[in-house]
Amino acid sequence: MSELPGHPPRVDFVDHVAVAVHDADAALPYYVSRLGLKVVGDEEADDPGVRLTYLDGGNVLIQLVQPLRPGPVADFLRTRGEGLHHLCFNVERIEPVLGALSGEEGAKIFAGGRGRRACFLLHEPNGVRVELTEREPLA
């Protein structure tokens, strides 16, 4: 995380771009066969009940997010349809970044994908959800 004297902590880089999909298996042929991306991970996150499929997009991961049961992602798909779900930025530690962002102190930190702590910011600038994820997995 970039911290300069007199400057607040900030994000380091885009970790992934998440796309909400009804069915990851149905979405994969476009990304794999047509675009030539490689699947580099596939896991289930019990809370909030989603399947996360990661594709190597070169300098950023593409994450397909498929709901496995009713919850926030299923609600998102019902109201907005498939498409951009969130941008995720990598940070060394979440708490200093949240502390430096006015109004984000109440953001809930949870065990996210790839075994790393994560949180969604409370504000959605320009209608886009923003997630922070820590660089290192939980021990």
Side-chain angles (χ1 to χ4, degrees):
M1 178 168 55
S2 301
E3 282 188 68
L4 301 173
H7 294 287
R10 60 187 188 111
V11 302
D12 288 330
F13 54 86
V14 175
D15 184 82
H16 64 267
V17 175
V19 178
V21 297
H22 292 288
D23 181 342
D25 290 327
L28 279 173
Y30 176 79
Y31 294 97
V32 174
S33 299
R34 299 220 36 205
L35 297 181
L37 302 182
K38 179 181 175 188
V39 174
V40 294
D42 200 334
E43 64 183 331
E44 290 184 9
D46 188 49
D47 181 23
V50 294
R51 175 183 175 190
L52 304 171
T53 304
Y54 296 92
L55 299 129
D56 183 350
N59 60 340
V60 68
L61 291 173
I62 306 300
Q63 179 191 66
L64 302 181
V65 184
Q66 172 191 328
L68 298 174
R69 63 176 181 262
V73 177
D75 295 343
F76 177 94
L77 285 166
R78 188 173 38 263
T79 60
R80 296 189 185 182
E82 291 187 321
L84 177 65
H85 185 261
H86 66 269
L87 297 176
C88 181
F89 294 97
N90 189 281
V91 299
E92 185 176 330
R93 288 190 54 249
I94 292 172
E95 289 87 353
V97 176
L98 289 178
L101 296 172
S102 176
E104 298 294 347
E105 298 85 2
K108 178 186 170 196
I109 299 173
F110 58 92
R114 296 175 286 157
R116 301 184 303 170
R117 292 185 342 138
C119 76
F120 282 100
L121 299 183
L122 302 174
H123 296 91
E124 295 184 9
N126 310 107
V128 177
R129 295 188 70 178
V130 175
E131 180 184 25
L132 303 177
T133 188
E134 291 184 342
R135 187 173 306 116
E136 298 298 322
L138 295 166

